[in-house]
Amino acid sequence: MKKVYANATEALDGILRDGMLIAAGGFGLCGIPELLLQAIKESGVKDLTFASNNAGVDDFGIGILLQTRQVKKMISSYVGENAEFMRQYLSGELELEFTPQGTLAERMRAGGAGIPGFYTKTGVGTVIAEGMEHKEFNGETYILEEGIFADLAIVKAWKADDTGNLVFRKTARNFNVPAATCGKICVAEVEEIVPRGSLDPDCIHLPGIYVHRVIQGQHEKRIEQRTTRKKEEA
């Protein structure tokens, strides 16, 4: 089965459609599938729902899809540095399902494991719990959260082989692994595709069984908040 494609557009060919639920890896600008997001923008699909920790910044990451009004809803834990995300949400142009960060990761992981829902104490007594099912276990109150079953998962890794085994680079692993597992189809972009058998099996973070298509590309690797110290006077 062919898994390696020439570019992001080819890798997404025949997959994209209006109204999809897409799980996207990344945290801020770290480990985001920037090439795949650009290809989604260029495809023109609309009314998308994204399950992602946040939406990048205004002109990078999922932010570029907010600018073109291709996103209908975000399932996120953080509005963060994206002014357009905040503006659309506050003006009622964008639906937002706030989900605590750990709960979001677990919802993705649950979907990947075929688990339709789970109970958690996180969010009990807050606006997060409004309208949700409550249940007591051993005298403690929990709320029911649903697993995320995405139509498509897009992730960014450091290395892959041609079977789709993925290795992530340090903190860029973040949401990428749970996001990848919860998609019916997973497309990964990587910095390097290496020969089959060259990856140490003990160092593989995501087995190729979860990954359907892979592309290699050049990545910008922006810094979200650049903080520098003035050079001390001599």
Side-chain angles (χ1 to χ4, degrees), residues 21-225:
L21 169 56
I22 301 175
F27 187 104
L29 299 183
C30 179
I32 64 171
E34 61 195 72
L35 305 178
L36 293 166
L37 289 168
Q38 181 64 35
I40 291 172
K41 175 186 175 182
E42 293 170 359
S43 75
V45 292
K46 58 185 184 299
D47 296 328
L48 302 173
T49 296
F50 269 89
S52 176
N53 180 65
N54 58 300
V57 293
D58 290 284
D59 61 344
F60 202 55
I62 298 175
I64 62 174
L65 296 168
L66 292 175
Q67 289 180 332
T68 54
R69 303 297 194 277
Q70 289 170 262
V71 182
K72 177 183 70 174
K73 178 179 179 179
M74 291 294 302
I75 304 173
S76 297
S77 71
Y78 179 55
V79 174
E81 308 299 327
N82 196 317
E84 181 61 15
F85 187 176
M86 183 184 302
R87 189 198 68 77
Q88 289 188 25
Y89 167 57
L90 293 176
S91 66
E93 299 172 37
L94 177 71
E95 296 177 46
L96 175 59
E97 184 178 325
F98 265 129
T99 305
Q101 202 165 84
T103 301
L104 179 60
E106 182 63 9
R107 289 182 66 189
M108 290 180 176
R109 191 204 68 82
I115 298 171
F118 59 92
Y119 287 98
T120 176
K121 290 179 67 176
T122 305
V124 172
T126 73
V127 294
I128 296 295
E130 292 179 3
M132 302 185 75
E133 178 184 328
H134 290 60
K135 191 175 180 67
E136 284 197 6
F137 295 92
N138 299 318
E140 298 284 348
T141 302
Y142 295 75
I143 55 176
L144 178 65
E145 290 279 3
E146 295 186 6
I148 292 175
F149 297 84
D151 299 305
L152 169 66
I154 54 173
V155 300
K156 194 261 181 181
W158 180 36
K159 292 182 179 181
D161 62 21
D162 67 333
T163 69
N165 291 315
L166 300 184
V167 177
F168 297 91
R169 177 79 170 158
K170 300 185 183 296
T171 57
R173 193 188 318 183
N174 51 57
F175 276 80
N176 276 298
V177 173
T181 64
C182 75
K184 295 177 183 176
I185 299 175
C186 175
V187 182
E189 61 183 69
V190 301
E191 296 178 37
E192 183 181 6
I193 297 177
V194 300
R196 188 181 305 189
S198 63
L199 295 177
D200 182 344
D202 288 335
C203 295
I204 292 172
H205 299 130
L206 186 71
I209 190 68
Y210 291 105
V211 181
H212 301 85
R213 301 184 181 186
V214 179
I215 63 162
Q216 178 176 316
Q218 298 295 318
H219 297 86
E220 189 172 341
K221 295 186 179 180
R222 288 197 195 183
I223 297 174
E224 189 168 356
Q225 292 287 348

